[in-house]
Amino acid sequence: MAEKKEVIRLERESVIPVLKPKLIITLANLILRSSDRKEFLRLCKRVEYTIRAWYLLQFEDLMQLYSLFDPVRGAQKLERQNLSSEEIDELEQKFLSYLFQVMDKSNFKIATNEEIGIALSGQYRLNLPITVDESKLDKKLLKRYFAEHPRENLPDFSDKYVIFRRGIGMDQTTGYFFMEKVDVIIARIWAYILKLTKIEKLLSGWSSARRKRNPKKDDEIVTEGEQNDLYVERIRIENMHISFHNLLSKITIQEPTFDRIIVLYRRSSSNSKAERGIYLKHFKNIPMADMEIVLPAKKNPGLTPNGLGEISCHCCNWSVGSLDMPKADLWVIFAVLSTVIGYCAKTYFTFQQNLAAYQNLITQSMYDKQLDSGKGTLLHLCDDVIQQEVKEVILSFFILMEQGRATKRDLDIQCEELIKEVFDASCNFDVDDAVEKLEKLGIVARDSIGRYCCVDLKRANEIIGTTTEELVLRAKQSINAS
């Protein structure tokens, strides 16, 4: 069996995958004149200080609102406010409105059914079926929000929890994976026996139901503008050629990752007390096929003998029934029964191994993969917004400064080309947002035919003016000097 190459097509994201200090220093070094370089660095600082001031009040309102719904101390604060249930509901919706605005500005996207289906269509390190205990999750908070703020392509579970994702990475794991290889071999032998003995017809109902749940055959996410899409490859054991040569040797498997994931949910209320806490969990570098580890209210995985017993009974009934056939092959029946018994035993031991791996992954997600939660997640988001906005403004101003006049489309293309050529990275540059900020700062103008041009560096610094942060720094320097 030749190896099957599995490629996933994803839409490129707007987030600029370059750290702000590296972006500024690299662009500054491309400026030849030292005086212009100094003015450019000053402009970068003033742009950041100004954008940070723009968002200060909004971020403060966001943090104040969340303090009322913090799962740890929010309940006590709400009690002291003496608010009615309707007033609390309004504050919840206001918080969610601010939160989703910040998510959009941070280039986080809500994971759709299709994206999650493609992500979970394979296996990586997690080989257990993980499900959510929906009875432990609230179904009113998010349902009301999306009723008032409709969005396209919402997942089926959006009334209970929302998964935001941003950025695409790659994770590789090297090991022997002996049990996984054996499992693949047994699965292929079992599939061959089912096909040979035509028992697969007994399972046709289950297979057709599964195809209905996963109607898409190709592992790809179809998006507009395919020429700008990002292609990432999966390397799975199921698609490899397993032989005696590589059965006992190390192999490398590869899985695309979601660089950042944020999960939003609320626990269900009890009969005695209404739950008002809103949970935010922030994760990094989560393999797509293992993204179940970030789900809230996970059920403990368990071995389900009913499914195996049902298959075994079907096989036994078929075997016993086939004795009445004139052309019954007792050796085939014996082979089938032996395979069923062996496969059940193999499934039990594989489950024990997968359960240990699952517990290890959960521990790792808690200590290594989880960046923060609650208020810490909000602080991350607020900083992400500022960093992204600053990088967009600086990059677009630099292009206009170096290239002269440009239309919005040309500016978009040139910014993406510079990121690719200078930083060896790619993104779908958000030129609309960048131009809007440049116009708000007053450092660009548009001519009669719609082309944009920037003022010179010295004039740009004069337009923005001295910021409060610069005055504070000067005061500190004068105190230290004295």
Side-chain angles (χ1 to χ4, degrees), residues 27-33 36-37 40 394-406 411 414 418 454-455 457:
L27 295 181
N29 290 334
L30 296 177
I31 301 175
L32 299 179
R33 296 175 58 182
D36 289 344
R37 193 181 307 121
F40 178 76
I394 291 173
L395 188 61
S396 54
F397 184 88
F398 179 85
I399 290 294
L400 291 175
M401 181 182 68
E402 293 293 318
Q403 303 296 331
R405 298 176 184 270
L411 180 60
Q414 291 175 17
L418 186 144
C454 67
V455 300
L457 284 168

Side-chain angles (χ1 to χ4, degrees), residues 74-122:
Q76 294 86 342
K77 291 188 177 182
L78 278 176
E79 289 178 2
R80 290 196 294 267
Q81 299 298 323
N82 294 322
L83 298 172
S84 65
S85 178
E86 292 76 14
E87 290 174 328
I88 296 176
D89 290 341
E90 291 301 320
L91 290 176
E92 287 176 350
Q93 296 304 311
K94 188 176 181 180
F95 166 74
L96 289 179
S97 179
Y98 283 165
L99 176 63
F100 277 79
Q101 290 176 20
V102 172
M103 288 290 188
D104 291 338
K105 287 292 183 182
S106 298
N107 295 296
F108 274 92
K109 296 182 179 180
I110 297 177
T112 64
N113 280 329
E114 188 176 23
E115 291 171 342
I116 293 175
I118 296 302
L120 300 181
S121 62

Side-chain angles (χ1 to χ4, degrees), residues 230-286:
L230 175 67
Y231 294 84
V232 290
E233 182 182 0
R234 264 179 172 162
I235 302 177
R236 299 192 291 156
I237 298 177
E238 291 86 343
N239 296 331
M240 291 183 177
H241 173 67
I242 306 297
S243 64
F244 288 104
H245 178 265
N246 61 9
L247 183 63
L248 301 177
S249 61
K250 287 186 176 182
I251 59 173
T252 298
I253 57 177
Q254 177 176 285
E255 178 69 17
T257 64
F258 290 122
D259 187 57
R260 293 290 185 271
I261 283 182
I262 293 178
V263 184
L264 169 68
Y265 65 97
R266 166 181 281 173
R267 293 178 180 173
S268 59
S269 302
S270 61
N271 295 330
S272 59
K273 186 177 181 181
E275 176 64 49
R276 291 291 186 176
I278 297 177
Y279 290 81
L280 286 166
K281 303 291 184 181
H282 193 184
F283 301 89
K284 65 175 183 178
N285 302 329
I286 300 297

